[in-house]
Amino acid sequence: MSTEILRNSSPELVALDSAEVFVLIDNVSDGLSSVPDGVTNEMDNIMEAGAKSFSGETLCFACFGISLILTGKVGDQVRTVLFDAGPNGIAIEHNVSNLGIDMGVIEAVVLSHGHTDHASGLPTAIKMSAQANGGGRVPVHVNPEMFSHRAEVLDNGDIFLSENIPTIEVMEQAGAQVINDPAQRNLLGDLFYLSGEIPRTTSYELGLPVQVRRNADDTDWEPDPWLMDERYMAVHVQGKGIMVFTACSHAGLINVLRHARETFAPIPLYGVMGGFHLAGGLFEPIIPETVRDLAEFDLKVIVPGHCTGWRATRAMLDAFGEDIVLPSAVGRRHIY
Ligand SMILES: [Fe+2]
């Protein structure tokens, strides 16, 4: 069985020979900056995929959201998970085509939490995977709280609706086999870990205070600041440690990393990649505490993307240096 639901036991991951991450969608396009060994730029990747000239059509779409293709290699096993699918199917289709990605190799899809910038590309991604694998159902991992109808309360008190994420029925119509369960689990022969609920332990990481959701009888809005549906993923790379993938970090980056450290001890954390949610007036004030506490993990790799914001990225670069911190960009491939 390729999915193991872990209700009480601790997850034991198979140590990978290597992990590859393809950044299918991210906020930023940066195909020119030089990158360290083990990382290839969007430009190299579109040329490898067959681009014959530099043109607007061959470049990837960067847009607000994230989608990572995670591939674990161990011995002769090569297995692949799609972690989130960005804000729309247009970017998925375009970037998959330009990067020459075979969607048929995706054996599982994971949604990190119930927000449109991570979820609205799912039906297209599922459809493309199912078509490319010959019509087999694609396992899609979600949990019930993700399907809340959400909104934000603006400064003037108005409600600004968030697009609902695709329903289970829509995902099934696209070709999904939906696993709707809040528990932590290992995926694909213990090569990948998907967390359960992330404990909130820091004093300064406060979720999304402006968020509300429809109440159970759909008569009013109720506070929904904690986003307890959020999950992160992790892999264990042999000789390096645990690489954590956190798509939006509404739980707080430090809460995510403390939970990962506790979950996998004594294996050390190696790195973290994703959206760290430190942009905007509500979050920029906690950049100093976050960067201070990030030091306790002694990470070798930090890849801030999506909702991290340039101020937090700059603060991390100042604190840890370019050998550790590499800002993420769409179309890059990272090998660990
Ligand atoms: Fe996000």
Side-chain angles (χ1 to χ4, degrees):
M1 191 165 128
S2 62
T3 299
E4 186 190 351
I5 303 284
L6 305 158
R7 293 193 195 279
N8 297 305
S9 55
S10 67
E12 280 189 25
L13 286 174
V14 170
L16 303 176
D17 297 333
S18 67
E20 179 187 292
V21 190
F22 227 127
V23 182
L24 186 56
I25 293 176
D26 206 332
N27 292 35
V28 167
S29 165
D30 179 9
L32 297 179
S33 294
S34 56
V35 288
D37 287 348
V39 181
T40 48
N41 246 338
E42 177 192 353
M43 292 300 175
D44 299 319
N45 294 328
I46 59 175
M47 281 193 275
E48 193 184 316
K52 295 283 180 266
S53 62
F54 179 72
S55 74
E57 275 299 307
T58 60
L59 297 174
C60 292
F61 290 162
C63 47
F64 188 87
I66 196 166
S67 176
L68 302 175
I69 299 173
L70 311 179
T71 299
K73 297 183 182 175
V74 56
D76 53 11
Q77 275 195 82
V78 180
R79 310 197 70 174
T80 299
V81 174
L82 179 71
F83 187 37
D84 286 351
N88 58 60
I90 300 166
I92 289 279
E93 225 167 4
H94 181 85
N95 294 356
V96 160
S97 161
N98 286 11
L99 294 166
I101 288 165
D102 174 9
M103 293 293 275
V105 302
I106 290 171
E107 295 181 78
V109 175
V110 170
L111 179 60
S112 62
H113 65 295
H115 276 171
T116 179
D117 52 320
H118 300 253
S120 294
L122 279 174
T124 301
I126 294 163
K127 208 176 289 172
M128 291 175 80
S129 295
Q131 272 168 6
N133 76 16
R137 295 241 150 224
V138 183
V140 177
H141 296 265
V142 295
N143 66 68
E145 267 200 61
M146 292 179 174
F147 298 94
S148 303
H149 294 184
R150 287 172 155 152
E152 289 196 3
V153 182
L154 302 179
D155 287 345
N156 65 6
D158 286 354
I159 295 286
F160 188 58
L161 293 176
S162 302
E163 183 183 39
N164 292 332
I165 69 166
T167 61
I168 288 176
E169 293 69 33
V170 165
M171 290 194 253
E172 285 174 344
Q173 278 161 16
Q177 175 220 339
V178 176
I179 300 116
N180 186 13
D181 191 309
Q184 63 174 342
R185 64 203 83 160
N186 280 359
L187 307 176
L188 308 182
D190 297 330
L191 268 58
F192 301 90
Y193 170 73
L194 169 58
S195 80
E197 210 170 275
I198 304 162
R200 303 329 201 232
T201 60
T202 61
S203 60
Y204 55 87
E205 293 175 315
L206 300 174
L208 196 49
V210 294
Q211 184 168 264
V212 291
R213 67 181 168 201
R214 296 304 286 175
N215 61 11
D217 50 8
D218 197 20
T219 53
D220 204 353
W221 295 100
E222 63 182 15
D224 180 24
W226 290 109
L227 272 128
M228 295 310 291
D229 51 304
E230 192 181 41
R231 304 290 185 261
Y232 68 89
M233 290 193 69
V235 296
H236 177 194
V237 182
Q238 184 70 53
K240 291 181 172 168
I242 302 295
M243 184 75 195
V244 174
F245 302 97
T246 174
C248 222
S249 307
H250 293 294
L253 178 62
I254 302 303
N255 282 330
V256 167
L257 292 173
R258 286 185 179 163
H259 183 258
R261 180 173 61 189
E262 203 169 291
T263 301
F264 294 102
I267 304 166
L269 300 190
Y270 176 69
V272 64
M273 177 171 189
F276 301 161
H277 221 286
L278 293 165
L282 284 174
F283 302 98
E284 285 159 8
I286 70 164
I287 291 171
E289 286 99 324
T290 304
V291 173
R292 177 197 69 203
D293 291 347
L294 197 48
E296 75 187 47
F297 302 99
D298 192 24
L299 299 175
K300 306 298 181 277
V301 170
I302 299 173
V303 186
H306 177 37
C307 50
T308 306
W310 67 265
R311 290 184 176 86
T313 301
R314 184 182 65 180
M316 289 178 194
L317 278 162
D318 287 347
F320 306 112
E322 284 190 23
D323 289 346
I324 289 176
V325 181
L326 174 67
S328 182
V330 69
R332 285 210 186 126
R333 185 169 49 201
H334 302 241
I335 296 174
Y336 301 110

PDB file of all heavy atoms in Angstrom, residues 64 113 115 117-118 247-248 250 277 306-307, ligand 1:
ATOM      1  N   PHE A  64       1.195  34.455  -8.054  1.00  0.00           N
ATOM      2  CA  PHE A  64       1.090  34.358  -6.599  1.00  0.00           C
ATOM      3  C   PHE A  64       0.581  32.972  -6.213  1.00  0.00           C
ATOM      4  O   PHE A  64      -0.571  32.624  -6.442  1.00  0.00           O
ATOM      5  CB  PHE A  64       0.137  35.435  -6.074  1.00  0.00           C
ATOM      6  CG  PHE A  64       0.127  35.512  -4.585  1.00  0.00           C
ATOM      7  CD1 PHE A  64       1.045  36.298  -3.915  1.00  0.00           C
ATOM      8  CD2 PHE A  64      -0.789  34.778  -3.835  1.00  0.00           C
ATOM      9  CE1 PHE A  64       1.051  36.362  -2.527  1.00  0.00           C
ATOM     10  CE2 PHE A  64      -0.794  34.847  -2.450  1.00  0.00           C
ATOM     11  CZ  PHE A  64       0.128  35.633  -1.799  1.00  0.00           C
ATOM     12  N   HIS A 113      -3.073  23.404   2.312  1.00  0.00           N
ATOM     13  CA  HIS A 113      -4.138  24.029   3.102  1.00  0.00           C
ATOM     14  C   HIS A 113      -5.179  24.613   2.157  1.00  0.00           C
ATOM     15  O   HIS A 113      -4.946  24.675   0.944  1.00  0.00           O
ATOM     16  CB  HIS A 113      -3.569  25.115   4.035  1.00  0.00           C
ATOM     17  CG  HIS A 113      -2.965  26.293   3.324  1.00  0.00           C
ATOM     18  ND1 HIS A 113      -1.843  26.200   2.528  1.00  0.00           N
ATOM     19  CD2 HIS A 113      -3.338  27.603   3.287  1.00  0.00           C
ATOM     20  CE1 HIS A 113      -1.549  27.397   2.050  1.00  0.00           C
ATOM     21  NE2 HIS A 113      -2.431  28.265   2.482  1.00  0.00           N
ATOM     22  N   HIS A 115      -6.414  27.257   0.649  1.00  0.00           N
ATOM     23  CA  HIS A 115      -6.366  28.594   0.053  1.00  0.00           C
ATOM     24  C   HIS A 115      -6.210  28.478  -1.451  1.00  0.00           C
ATOM     25  O   HIS A 115      -5.460  27.635  -1.949  1.00  0.00           O
ATOM     26  CB  HIS A 115      -5.192  29.413   0.622  1.00  0.00           C
ATOM     27  CG  HIS A 115      -5.509  30.095   1.925  1.00  0.00           C
ATOM     28  ND1 HIS A 115      -4.561  30.723   2.690  1.00  0.00           N
ATOM     29  CD2 HIS A 115      -6.692  30.260   2.581  1.00  0.00           C
ATOM     30  CE1 HIS A 115      -5.136  31.244   3.775  1.00  0.00           C
ATOM     31  NE2 HIS A 115      -6.417  30.970   3.733  1.00  0.00           N
ATOM     32  N   ASP A 117      -4.589  30.132  -3.698  1.00  0.00           N
ATOM     33  CA  ASP A 117      -3.288  30.285  -4.374  1.00  0.00           C
ATOM     34  C   ASP A 117      -2.472  28.992  -4.355  1.00  0.00           C
ATOM     35  O   ASP A 117      -1.414  28.903  -4.988  1.00  0.00           O
ATOM     36  CB  ASP A 117      -2.475  31.445  -3.778  1.00  0.00           C
ATOM     37  CG  ASP A 117      -2.336  31.387  -2.276  1.00  0.00           C
ATOM     38  OD1 ASP A 117      -3.323  31.036  -1.605  1.00  0.00           O
ATOM     39  OD2 ASP A 117      -1.250  31.692  -1.752  1.00  0.00           O
ATOM     40  N   HIS A 118      -2.977  27.974  -3.658  1.00  0.00           N
ATOM     41  CA  HIS A 118      -2.322  26.660  -3.604  1.00  0.00           C
ATOM     42  C   HIS A 118      -3.175  25.581  -4.267  1.00  0.00           C
ATOM     43  O   HIS A 118      -2.665  24.528  -4.631  1.00  0.00           O
ATOM     44  CB  HIS A 118      -2.055  26.261  -2.143  1.00  0.00           C
ATOM     45  CG  HIS A 118      -1.172  27.242  -1.454  1.00  0.00           C
ATOM     46  ND1 HIS A 118       0.141  26.970  -1.149  1.00  0.00           N
ATOM     47  CD2 HIS A 118      -1.390  28.529  -1.073  1.00  0.00           C
ATOM     48  CE1 HIS A 118       0.678  28.048  -0.584  1.00  0.00           C
ATOM     49  NE2 HIS A 118      -0.221  29.006  -0.534  1.00  0.00           N
ATOM     50  N   ALA A 247       4.424  25.164   2.516  1.00  0.00           N
ATOM     51  CA  ALA A 247       3.937  25.913   1.360  1.00  0.00           C
ATOM     52  C   ALA A 247       3.564  27.354   1.673  1.00  0.00           C
ATOM     53  O   ALA A 247       3.742  28.239   0.843  1.00  0.00           O
ATOM     54  CB  ALA A 247       2.742  25.193   0.748  1.00  0.00           C
ATOM     55  N   CYS A 248       3.035  27.608   2.890  1.00  0.00           N
ATOM     56  CA  CYS A 248       2.595  28.980   3.194  1.00  0.00           C
ATOM     57  C   CYS A 248       2.890  29.361   4.637  1.00  0.00           C
ATOM     58  O   CYS A 248       2.837  30.544   4.981  1.00  0.00           O
ATOM     59  CB  CYS A 248       1.113  29.159   2.885  1.00  0.00           C
ATOM     60  SG  CYS A 248       0.695  30.724   2.084  1.00  0.00           S
ATOM     61  N   HIS A 250       1.314  29.360   7.483  1.00  0.00           N
ATOM     62  CA  HIS A 250       0.378  30.087   8.350  1.00  0.00           C
ATOM     63  C   HIS A 250       0.534  29.626   9.796  1.00  0.00           C
ATOM     64  O   HIS A 250       0.186  30.344  10.734  1.00  0.00           O
ATOM     65  CB  HIS A 250      -1.059  29.875   7.878  1.00  0.00           C
ATOM     66  CG  HIS A 250      -1.325  30.491   6.544  1.00  0.00           C
ATOM     67  ND1 HIS A 250      -1.305  31.849   6.335  1.00  0.00           N
ATOM     68  CD2 HIS A 250      -1.601  29.927   5.330  1.00  0.00           C
ATOM     69  CE1 HIS A 250      -1.581  32.104   5.062  1.00  0.00           C
ATOM     70  NE2 HIS A 250      -1.750  30.952   4.430  1.00  0.00           N
ATOM     71  N   HIS A 277       5.506  33.138   4.751  1.00  0.00           N
ATOM     72  CA  HIS A 277       4.464  34.080   5.150  1.00  0.00           C
ATOM     73  C   HIS A 277       4.942  35.168   6.105  1.00  0.00           C
ATOM     74  O   HIS A 277       4.451  35.315   7.232  1.00  0.00           O
ATOM     75  CB  HIS A 277       3.245  33.365   5.740  1.00  0.00           C
ATOM     76  CG  HIS A 277       1.976  34.015   5.248  1.00  0.00           C
ATOM     77  ND1 HIS A 277       1.555  35.238   5.719  1.00  0.00           N
ATOM     78  CD2 HIS A 277       1.099  33.652   4.292  1.00  0.00           C
ATOM     79  CE1 HIS A 277       0.448  35.578   5.067  1.00  0.00           C
ATOM     80  NE2 HIS A 277       0.162  34.643   4.204  1.00  0.00           N
ATOM     81  N   HIS A 306       7.436  32.207  -2.557  1.00  0.00           N
ATOM     82  CA  HIS A 306       6.013  32.560  -2.468  1.00  0.00           C
ATOM     83  C   HIS A 306       5.749  33.747  -1.536  1.00  0.00           C
ATOM     84  O   HIS A 306       6.111  34.864  -1.854  1.00  0.00           O
ATOM     85  CB  HIS A 306       5.219  31.298  -2.091  1.00  0.00           C
ATOM     86  CG  HIS A 306       3.755  31.508  -1.894  1.00  0.00           C
ATOM     87  ND1 HIS A 306       3.029  32.369  -2.671  1.00  0.00           N
ATOM     88  CD2 HIS A 306       2.867  30.964  -0.992  1.00  0.00           C
ATOM     89  CE1 HIS A 306       1.764  32.364  -2.262  1.00  0.00           C
ATOM     90  NE2 HIS A 306       1.646  31.533  -1.245  1.00  0.00           N
ATOM     91  N   CYS A 307       5.171  33.515  -0.361  1.00  0.00           N
ATOM     92  CA  CYS A 307       4.676  34.603   0.498  1.00  0.00           C
ATOM     93  C   CYS A 307       5.711  35.075   1.519  1.00  0.00           C
ATOM     94  O   CYS A 307       5.351  35.751   2.475  1.00  0.00           O
ATOM     95  CB  CYS A 307       3.431  34.123   1.231  1.00  0.00           C
ATOM     96  SG  CYS A 307       3.710  32.528   2.029  1.00  0.00           S
TER      97      CYS A 307
HETATM   98 FE    FE B   1      -0.114  30.973   0.068  1.00  0.00          FE
END
